[in-house]
Amino acid sequence: MTQPATPPANPPATPPATPPANQPMARPMDDAATPDQPCAFVLGGGGALGAYQVGMLRALLEAGVRPDLVVGTSVGAINGAAVAAEPEPAAVERLADLWRGLGRAGVFSGSLLGQLRVAARSRTHLYPPEPLRLLLESHLPTRRIEDLPVPYQCVAAEIESAAEHWFERGPLVEAVLASCAVPGLLPPIGVDGRHYLDGGLVNSIPVGRAVALGARTVYVLQVGRVEQPLQVPRLPWEVASVAFEIARRHRFARDMSDLPAGVRVHLLPTGGPPGGRESAVQNLRHRDFDRSTVRMDQAYRASAEYLDRTGPAAGR
């Protein structure tokens, strides 16, 4: 698949309707992808739960599924960049090593005193971006988006225009940092005079973008939230989490309901326990990154079983 044509800069939102709880497949799929049916991997946001995506990628690549296009949001931008750089099982193993050491790398770790010091100096965030930048530079072999072997895009929320911005070319690490700039935890990332926050604010699971770029077979690597029914918040800090979840699920649900005829979407399962109530902030704690191996293994087993049952569609 050649580099996809660029759709209009900030296309109208094309969101979704929430799939039934614990329903792993959003749309029926039958035929395998062909050169006329480009295959896309869509990697959503989700903090430490992004480890599930590593297991899904392993299952896909071992089943012979290769992407013609990769789009990602937030932590999905990290995982997506890795697979776009090398869509082979060996690259997924290196990505798994990154996840196993992510908490220790200091990205979202450190003492409470250290976080307070950063917050006092910055007045906007708790963590400096340098540890994540160094981690990305050491694990992503390609420096520019347009040089990636597989066409890749990631999304961030542009502050000045209050709109989603898609990085299609330019420095890869800067684009991924912008897509991962969780408000309050990391600072806004400046690129070419504009400033960006986490892409999950505007397009958490960008199925619509993949379809707009020509994908006709889409594998959605989500982190388990859309598998679970929302619950009424019981504690003050759960209110914001539930409100954000409604917004992100609404967008995804509308994307799914607006799919054109002939598009097949696979919503890969995480294999995680039902009824989880993990908040976005909890997912960024060091101890939750220590659960990465368990999450990767769960998602690998569940997704491999799903692909065996449905029959994977090869992307190339």
Side-chain angles (χ1 to χ4, degrees):
M1 177 178 168
T2 59
Q3 187 78 24
T6 302
N10 292 303
T14 37
T18 305
N22 302 313
Q23 176 86 12
M25 186 168 64
R27 280 275 180 140
M29 298 150 309
D30 35 7
D31 303 329
T34 69
D36 296 326
Q37 298 289 313
C39 174
F41 288 1
V42 174
L43 297 95
L49 299 182
Y52 285 126
Q53 295 174 348
V54 181
M56 295 172 183
L57 287 170
R58 178 185 168 197
L60 284 166
L61 297 177
E62 286 186 0
V65 183
R66 297 294 187 274
D68 298 299
L69 167 70
V70 178
V71 294
T73 298
S74 193
V75 73
I78 298 177
N79 293 332
V83 75
E86 186 182 355
E88 301 295 337
V92 176
E93 288 307 310
R94 288 193 290 275
L95 187 59
D97 289 338
L98 181 154
W99 272 90
R100 293 184 188 105
L102 194 55
R104 294 189 300 274
V107 176
F108 293 115
S109 61
S111 67
L112 177 60
L113 181 58
Q115 294 171 29
L116 291 175
R117 285 172 177 163
V118 174
R121 288 195 304 267
S122 70
R123 301 184 180 180
T124 60
H125 55 275
L126 295 177
Y127 300 97
E130 285 74 22
L132 180 56
R133 184 190 302 276
L134 292 173
L135 197 66
L136 294 173
E137 289 175 346
S138 65
H139 283 80
L140 295 178
T142 305
R143 290 293 171 251
R144 295 187 64 83
I145 294 173
E146 58 268 32
D147 294 334
L148 289 166
V150 177
Y152 166 86
Q153 295 186 11
C154 65
V155 66
E158 184 181 311
I159 294 174
E160 286 83 359
S161 66
E164 65 184 68
H165 175 87
W166 284 93
F167 290 93
E168 309 165 35
R169 61 189 70 253
L172 177 60
V173 168
E174 293 304 310
V176 173
L177 279 173
S179 188
C180 295
V182 182
L185 298 183
L186 290 169
I189 300 299
V191 181
D192 295 333
R194 313 295 279 181
H195 299 86
Y196 301 94
L197 289 172
D198 192 282
L201 295 172
V202 288
N203 201 339
S204 189
I205 309 176
V207 171
R209 182 69 174 188
V211 174
L213 290 169
R216 290 300 174 263
T217 299
V218 179
Y219 289 90
V220 177
L221 288 72
Q222 49 86 38
V223 299
R225 290 172 177 160
V226 298
E227 296 174 343
Q228 307 298 339
L230 282 178
Q231 301 179 39
V232 176
R234 298 192 300 260
L235 299 169
W237 51 85
E238 291 181 342
V239 175
S241 177
V242 169
F244 175 67
E245 196 65 22
I246 290 171
R248 73 193 296 273
R249 292 192 191 194
H250 167 72
R251 176 75 190 257
F252 174 62
R254 185 150 59 89
D255 274 351
M256 296 300 297
S257 65
D258 288 348
L259 288 175
V263 173
R264 298 182 299 277
V265 174
H266 300 256
L267 184 62
L268 296 181
T270 63
R277 292 176 61 88
E278 296 179 280
S279 75
V281 173
Q282 286 174 327
N283 294 337
L284 294 174
R285 291 178 179 168
H286 182 278
R287 65 173 179 269
D288 288 309
F289 281 108
D290 285 344
R291 297 172 58 194
S292 293
T293 298
V294 172
R295 288 172 175 151
M296 288 186 284
D297 290 344
Q298 288 174 335
Y300 169 72
R301 290 192 298 269
S303 295
E305 180 183 347
Y306 171 82
L307 293 170
D308 286 343
R309 186 171 69 251
T310 62
R316 291 183 190 264

